[in-house]
Amino acid sequence: MVVRYELISVSSEDEESIKQFRKEQPSILEIEGNGVCWISEKNRGYPQSLILKLDQTSDIFRIDVTAHPQLIPSSMTVHFGQPTPGKHRHTTGNSYDADYTQKGTVNFVEGEHVNTKQTVLTSGEAQYIRFTTHGFYKTSKNAHSQD
């Protein structure tokens, strides 16, 4: 079963590159569920992250991640977040009020081998999922150090 979600937070975003990618590669976003197209700002520091809020707290067993074919992160960690009752760091009651647990790490680049599709097999309950990239793979087509 595909879990529905919405993108609620990004550390940086290159809106022009996203528009261009959606125009050039619309079929990549035609996946079951909600496709998230995220490209970090040009020449930003790392780590970079995004947070998804699930429609409801769900048991998660598998997450499939597809990287942009030319803007590949070197690695990514996946954290599950659950709100802690009575614990409010912010008055808005959002993802900042959640406690996160690392659930997996994927490496898009190992030696000279690059794989733009990765799967995280895990088990746990989540209301939020945070993806954090820890660098980028240098290519001639990634002149602005993005992922």
Side-chain angles (χ1 to χ4, degrees), residues 52-125:
L52 303 177
K53 181 179 182 188
L54 308 183
D55 281 356
Q56 62 187 9
T57 298
S58 302
D59 289 320
I60 306 296
F61 300 98
R62 175 186 176 131
I63 299 173
D64 294 321
V65 179
T66 303
H68 185 289
Q70 297 170 352
L71 308 176
I72 303 164
S74 55
S75 67
M76 175 184 289
T77 53
V78 178
H79 293 80
F80 287 2
Q82 280 286 70
T84 304
K87 186 178 188 181
H88 297 289
R89 297 180 186 108
H90 293 29
T91 57
T92 57
N94 58 22
S95 64
Y96 296 107
D97 295 325
D99 289 318
Y100 287 87
T101 303
Q102 184 172 331
K103 289 297 189 171
T105 300
V106 294
N107 294 305
F108 291 90
V109 180
E110 293 192 30
E112 293 299 314
H113 181 72
V114 177
N115 187 352
T116 59
K117 295 183 180 189
Q118 294 289 338
T119 298
V120 177
L121 298 175
T122 187
S123 180
E125 216 175 56

Side-chain angles (χ1 to χ4, degrees), residues 14 17 31 34 36 38 46 54 56-57 60 69 83 87-88 94 98 104 117 123-124 126 133 136-137 141-142 145 147:
D14 183 346
S17 293
I31 59 171
N34 302 9
V36 171
W38 172 58
Y46 287 89
L54 308 183
Q56 62 187 9
T57 298
I60 306 296
K87 186 178 188 181
H88 297 289
N94 58 22
K117 295 183 180 189
S123 180
T133 60
F136 62 95
Y137 180 61
K141 297 188 180 198
N142 191 359
S145 309
D147 59 9

